[in-house]
Amino acid sequence: MALVCALTNEVPETPVVSPYSGAVFEKRVIEKYLLENGCDPISGTELKPEELIEIKTPAVVKPKPPSATSIPATLKTMQDEWDALMIHSFTQRQQLQTTRQELSHALYQHDAACRVIARLNKEVAAAREALATLKPQAGIANAPTAIPQPALASEAGGAAAHPMEQAGMSAEVIQKLQDKATVLTQERKKRGRTVPEDLVTTDQVKNFLTVASHPGLHSASVPGILALDINSADHSKILTGGNDKNATVFNKDTEQMVAILKGHTKKITKVIYHPNEDTVITGSPDMNIRIWHVPTSQTQLLLRCHEGPVTGLSLHPTGDYLLSTSSDKHWAFSDIRTGRLLTKVIDTAEVGLTTAQFHPDGLIFGTGTVDSQVKIWDLKEQSNVANFPGHTGPISAISFSENGYYLATAADDACVKLWDLRKLKNFKTIQLDDGYEVKDLCFDQSGTYLAIAGSDVRVYLCKQWQELKVFNDHTALATGVRFGKHAQYLASTSMDRTLKLYAIE
């Protein structure tokens, strides 16, 4: 009786028998089967190759199949194999088509899942943003209401709705300016070179960290905070102006919104917090300057001094007068008590003005122009007394040091220039990285530190002009920077819609 392999149905060359099922197998075939499956193919019992029992038989000579002994029979065999191959190929194509359909369906499901996840992430971000906005605004409902101050409560819509006539600089106004300058000069001499005891040291500035970030002050639909100021009497109150046409007053200590000031028809690019009153001043490309009463969030006075976008605002040290500049090539000097335009002067070169700031004494002021010039003006004489060339591109920011000697200026040329007002010359240029944009400059109240806002936020030590700290927390261009009292903290705003505070933890 011939042995036949249970797997191949052929006579095995090296027969082996399974101890579990008793079936005979070709040794090389069963070993391959066990390598893949690990069990007896007949009984399904676990089986190892070493458990197979070899059967000793004489060598077997395989006879030729009788069907392959002639050419017609061979052709018939080949035809059968070809038919079988075609059938197998057809089956494979069907399986491939089915697999493709399954893969397409799986990819569609994956794409749909990704869309759902993206939508949910967007909803979560919007919810978080709404929550962040809700927290600061919670304090507005409890804000006290106050009666508008009579001195500033001249109309908010009519009397100054069109460009105003000049009232002129009276002798009384000039005398008031001179008296204030004399007092400020004497106070500065008394202070001498001493610095406040509470002023932070350079080592402390180097250790400043981001202690707070507030993204909910302005609308997320029109992102960007464009202007910043701090109340010099109450350093917890911070004023911002945004791309959303609103100004906000925020208390950093309570983290509550004090007021939202709505009225401008275009973005707010300049803001000032009055040092002695709960009053703020805002300027906008809508050509209007608004004076607001913070407790009521109402416009007390609307000034229309210019026929172009307002580009610069600076409050006189008396707290009664306002300097403004515009792309209409004029600077204007107005009385914020009466709403009168005292004087309006065209630039000597008849070019658009980009920024303005009063000297600490209030008798002179600086303006920046679109043609790279920084100009110093005598307020009483209403004349241009000095020019500082050297920048390239429109002037973006200027700032006088409290000591009255230094002027810092910036333009679209990646540098900050320092000018000595006594010698009327540039004595230092802080060269920044290529492509660096400077949007704001600010000295602290002691004149010890200079902060720069733009591509990042930087703090320099004056006189040595040493870089002390660089903050890269903003995800977009920084637009404003201000020091708190005695430089105990630093605030910055950005196009990323956040107000960030830096201090020692």
Side-chain angles (χ1 to χ4, degrees), residues 169-186 316-318 321 333 361-364 378-381:
M169 296 273 285
S170 65
E172 180 184 353
V173 171
I174 293 176
Q175 186 59 48
K176 188 175 180 180
L177 301 178
Q178 184 62 58
D179 292 345
K180 185 65 175 180
T182 302
V183 171
L184 292 173
T185 302
Q186 290 174 350
H316 191 271
T318 58
Y321 304 104
F333 185 65
D361 291 342
L363 289 182
I364 62 173
D378 184 310
L379 179 59
K380 293 190 297 182
E381 300 296 329

Side-chain angles (χ1 to χ4, degrees), residues 336-412:
I336 66 170
R337 303 300 176 188
T338 64
R340 292 185 304 165
L341 171 62
L342 300 181
T343 187
K344 184 176 178 180
V345 178
I346 192 168
D347 180 77
T348 52
E350 296 191 14
V351 294
L353 303 180
T354 58
T355 185
Q357 190 183 29
F358 271 115
H359 183 273
D361 291 342
L363 289 182
I364 62 173
F365 62 88
T367 62
T369 69
V370 295
D371 65 350
S372 314
Q373 294 284 320
V374 177
K375 298 185 177 183
I376 307 299
W377 298 78
D378 184 310
L379 179 59
K380 293 190 297 182
E381 300 296 329
Q382 304 170 43
S383 60
N384 178 207
V385 294
N387 292 333
F388 294 147
H391 280 293
T392 56
I395 302 299
S396 57
I398 64 174
S399 181
F400 286 98
S401 171
E402 180 58 31
N403 64 18
Y405 300 145
Y406 299 146
L407 171 66
T409 62
D412 294 342

Side-chain angles (χ1 to χ4, degrees), residues 13-215:
E13 295 180 1
T14 309
V16 294
V17 64
S18 167
Y20 300 110
S21 63
V24 176
F25 305 98
E26 173 66 63
K27 184 176 182 179
R28 58 181 175 77
V29 176
I30 187 63
E31 284 180 346
K32 289 181 181 179
Y33 183 88
L34 292 177
L35 186 64
E36 293 179 1
N37 300 284
C39 63
D40 190 307
I42 304 302
S43 66
T45 308
E46 183 177 353
L47 177 64
K48 297 180 181 178
E50 55 267 22
E51 293 179 319
L52 296 171
I53 302 170
E54 289 192 18
I55 302 174
K56 295 183 179 180
T57 58
V60 177
V61 178
K62 295 181 181 180
K64 291 183 180 179
S67 60
T69 54
S70 64
I71 292 176
T74 303
L75 292 174
K76 173 75 168 58
T77 302
M78 294 178 66
Q79 182 65 53
D80 292 342
E81 289 180 358
W82 173 259
D83 294 343
L85 181 62
M86 290 299 100
I87 293 172
H88 179 71
S89 176
F90 174 75
T91 305
Q92 292 292 92
R93 287 200 302 273
Q94 282 186 319
Q95 292 177 349
L96 176 61
Q97 182 64 24
T98 302
T99 304
R100 281 178 173 171
Q101 290 176 346
E102 292 175 352
L103 178 60
S104 176
H105 184 65
L107 290 174
Y108 174 78
Q109 288 181 322
H110 177 269
D111 183 59
C114 288
R115 289 173 184 270
V116 171
I117 292 170
R119 179 172 57 80
L120 291 176
N121 284 337
K122 188 175 181 180
E123 290 176 358
V124 169
R128 285 177 176 168
E129 187 177 285
L131 184 62
T133 306
L134 210 63
K135 183 179 177 183
Q137 291 184 348
I140 295 180
N142 300 322
T145 57
I147 301 173
Q149 302 173 15
L152 293 180
S154 134
E155 56 75 43
H162 52 81
M164 300 178 291
E165 297 295 328
Q166 299 181 41
M169 296 273 285
S170 65
E172 180 184 353
V173 171
I174 293 176
Q175 186 59 48
K176 188 175 180 180
L177 301 178
Q178 184 62 58
D179 292 345
K180 185 65 175 180
T182 302
V183 171
L184 292 173
T185 302
Q186 290 174 350
E187 289 178 353
R188 188 177 297 109
K189 287 181 179 179
K190 287 181 182 178
R191 290 196 300 268
R193 297 178 180 273
T194 59
V195 296
E197 293 182 2
D198 295 333
L199 184 72
V200 294
T201 64
T202 55
D203 289 337
Q204 289 174 316
V205 172
K206 291 178 181 178
N207 292 322
F208 270 18
L209 299 173
T210 305
V211 295
S213 180
H214 302 287

Side-chain angles (χ1 to χ4, degrees), residues 424-443:
L424 298 179
K425 70 175 185 178
N426 171 224
F427 68 90
K428 175 69 178 180
T429 297
I430 301 174
Q431 191 62 49
L432 303 169
D433 303 332
D434 288 343
Y436 191 103
E437 294 184 60
V438 182
K439 291 298 181 183
D440 198 16
L441 297 169
C442 176
F443 287 96

Side-chain angles (χ1 to χ4, degrees), residues 445-459:
Q445 288 182 312
S446 69
T448 306
Y449 303 110
L450 171 66
I452 299 172
S455 300
D456 52 33
V457 178
R458 304 186 180 198
V459 180

